């Protein structure tokens, strides 16, 4: 039996079905419930070692995702990678919808 418990319940940054309309820099742990859109005028900067977790929103039935219409800058390194993953102990295919890059 799969353990569907959340890995992260408290994060440095948390979003639920929202849009970033201004430049933002992430570090530490980020939790996205549902979707997060980076608007065309915004830049999302993600520092080395940041962990971004995705979980389904109780409001929407679709897989959680990051939609980038603006700019995305990840500064991960071999020693401190930027990680994107579902927020459940035993993840399965479809637990998150990935990163959608639009231009």
């Amino acid at each position: 039996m799969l353990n569907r418990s959340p890995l992260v319940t408290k994060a440095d940054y948390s979003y639920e079905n929202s849009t970033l309309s201004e430049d933002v820099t992430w570090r530490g742990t980020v939790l996205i419930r549902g979707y997060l859109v980076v608007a065309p005028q915004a830049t999302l900067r993600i520092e080395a070692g940041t962990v971004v977790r995705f979980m389904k929103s109780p409001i929407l039935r679709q897989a959680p995702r990051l939609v980038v219409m603006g700019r995305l800058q990840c500064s991960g390194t071999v020693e401190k990678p930027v990680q994107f993953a579902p927020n459940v102990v035993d993840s399965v295919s479809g637990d998150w919808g990935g990163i959608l890059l639009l231009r």
Side-chain angles (χ1 to χ4, degrees):
M1 184 169 174
L2 293 177
N3 182 350
R4 306 300 288 168
S5 300
L7 285 167
V8 174
T9 56
K10 189 173 181 181
D12 299 302
Y13 304 88
S14 184
Y15 303 90
E16 184 167 356
N17 304 323
S18 55
T19 300
L20 297 176
S21 57
E22 297 179 351
D23 295 355
V24 174
T25 301
W26 288 347
R27 63 187 60 80
T29 303
V30 180
L31 181 59
I32 298 172
R33 289 183 185 90
Y35 65 84
L36 179 66
V37 175
V38 179
Q41 72 276 16
T43 299
L44 172 58
R45 292 177 183 87
I46 307 175
E47 293 187 353
T50 301
V51 177
V52 183
R53 296 282 179 180
F54 294 84
M55 63 188 300
K56 292 184 179 181
S57 166
I59 300 168
L60 303 175
R61 295 184 184 266
Q62 69 186 27
R65 66 192 51 180
L66 177 62
V67 179
V68 181
M69 299 172 72
R71 291 159 302 284
L72 175 64
Q73 298 176 347
C74 291
S75 59
T77 66
V78 172
E79 296 81 21
K80 294 172 74 174
V82 172
Q83 299 176 35
F84 298 91
N87 191 40
V88 291
V89 174
D90 292 329
S91 64
V92 296
S93 179
D95 277 342
W96 74 293
I99 301 170
L100 181 60
L101 303 173
L102 302 175
R103 275 307 242 170

